[in-house]
Amino acid sequence: MRKSIFLAIILQFSTFHFPLSVFSQVASSSEMLAPSKVGTEDMLPVLSGDVLDGDYEVELESSSSMFRIEKAVLHVKDGVMSASLTMGGKGYSKLFLGSAEAASESNGRGEILPNDGEGAVIFEIPVSALNSSIDCAAFSKKKAKWYDRQILFDASSLPEEKLLVSPKIEKINLKDGRYFVEAALAGGSGKAKITSPVKVSVKDGKAFAVIEWSSPNFDYMKVNHERYDVDTKILDKGGNSTFTIPVYAFDKKVPVIADTVAMSKAHEIQYWIQFDSKSAKKTRKKW
C-alpha cells in the first residue's frame, strides 16, 4: 500500500511542469530592473589602435544600477585594450563577455574571475572598443544566476591628445553659412604648417573645413579612418595640398592623419587641429 502511494506521488511530480526560471541559471526579465540605455547617438566608435599606449581612468556607463562599478582603468599597450573594473560591492562572483544565456551554456569557458585576496572586487576584462556597448553577463552569488548587463567605456573622458580619432560629433554652435576660423596645428615634426584662418562651411549642423598645407607633398588625409583625397585641380595649378574635411568639434584637438609623399616612401603622419569657434567670422565669399 505504502509503495503504491509513493509511486503515485512520484508520477504526479513527473507530470508537473515547473517554471523554467526555477531551474535556469539565467535571470528572467521579471527578476531584473528595466535596463538603461548606454551611450548616445553622437558617439563615434574608438578602436584599440585609436588610443595611444598608457593607463587611463575612464568613465564607464552601466545598463543597471545593480551593476555598479566604482572605478574603471583602461590599459592600452601595443594596440590591445583591457580594463580593470573595481566593483561597488561583492555581490558578483564572475563575469562573462556575452549574454547571460551564453554564459550559462559555456561550461565555465570564457568566465572571468575577480582578483584574489581581500578588499575590493576587481575584474580584468578585454575591451574591443570604446563608445560601443559591450554585452556583459554578471553572476550573482546570492541568486546563483546570470544577469544580462551592458557596459560602455566613454572615450571622451580620455585626454584629447591620447586619441587618434574624434570620439563624438560635437554640436556645432554656428549658424549655416561660411566662416573664416583660426586653426592651430600640432603633431608631426613641426615642419608642416596649415594656412590659418581656414575656410569653414556650416550646413544643417555639419561643418567642413578647407585645409591648405604649406607644401604640395600630401596626397590624402584621414579623419576617423575616412579618407579624403587632395584637390588635384589646385595641385595642377601649382598650389599646395588642399583638402576638404569634416569638423567633428570646435575648441578641442581634432585628430587627423596626413599622408606625405616627400620621403622615399609614402608615410602617414598624425596631427591634431584645433578650430577656435570664438574666432569665427562670417563671410559672403564663395569657395
Side-chain angles (χ1 to χ4, degrees), residues 205-221:
K206 296 180 180 180
F208 291 86
V210 178
I211 304 298
E212 180 185 356
W213 292 85
S214 56
S215 81
N217 296 322
F218 296 100
D219 61 343
Y220 66 81
M221 291 182 68

Side-chain angles (χ1 to χ4, degrees), residues 78-99:
D78 299 331
V80 178
M81 294 193 298
S82 62
S84 302
L85 308 182
T86 302
M87 306 303 295
K90 299 183 178 181
Y92 296 103
S93 60
K94 50 190 175 182
L95 301 181
F96 180 88
L97 295 186
S99 67

Side-chain angles (χ1 to χ4, degrees), residues 90 114-122:
K90 299 183 178 181
N115 62 328
D116 295 327
E118 300 177 356
V121 175
I122 302 176

Side-chain angles (χ1 to χ4, degrees), residues 185-195 212-218 240 258 260 262-263 267 269-271:
L185 179 72
S189 64
K191 294 180 180 180
K193 309 293 182 183
I194 60 172
T195 300
E212 180 185 356
W213 292 85
S214 56
S215 81
N217 296 322
F218 296 100
N240 288 330
T260 178
M263 305 177 186
H267 182 65
I269 303 175
Q270 184 71 50
Y271 294 97

Side-chain angles (χ1 to χ4, degrees), residues 6-77:
F6 178 76
L7 289 174
I9 293 173
I10 293 296
L11 182 62
Q12 286 183 343
F13 272 99
S14 66
T15 57
F16 184 81
H17 297 287
F18 288 93
L20 289 177
S21 59
V22 174
F23 302 107
S24 176
Q25 277 196 317
V26 178
S28 64
S29 58
S30 62
E31 297 175 281
M32 297 188 296
L33 297 175
S36 301
K37 182 182 178 181
V38 296
T40 54
E41 293 182 357
D42 59 355
M43 284 184 169
L44 298 170
V46 176
L47 307 179
S48 57
D50 299 332
V51 186
L52 296 178
D53 284 5
D55 300 309
Y56 313 98
E57 191 164 340
V58 60
E59 293 182 10
L60 184 144
E61 297 181 26
S62 170
S63 62
S64 174
S65 60
M66 302 301 292
F67 188 64
R68 187 166 57 89
I69 298 169
E70 286 191 345
K71 182 179 179 181
V73 177
L74 181 71
H75 311 290
V76 185
K77 187 175 182 181

Side-chain angles (χ1 to χ4, degrees), residues 1 67 78 109 123 134 174 223 240 245 259 270 278:
M1 179 70 176
F67 188 64
D78 299 331
R109 293 188 299 273
F123 289 97
I134 299 172
L174 294 175
V223 182
N240 288 330
I245 63 171
D259 186 72
Q270 184 71 50
K278 293 181 180 178

Side-chain angles (χ1 to χ4, degrees), residues 91-94 138-147:
Y92 296 103
S93 60
K94 50 190 175 182
F139 191 80
S140 168
K141 289 193 289 187
K142 183 178 180 180
K143 300 292 186 179
K145 289 187 177 184
W146 288 100
Y147 284 75

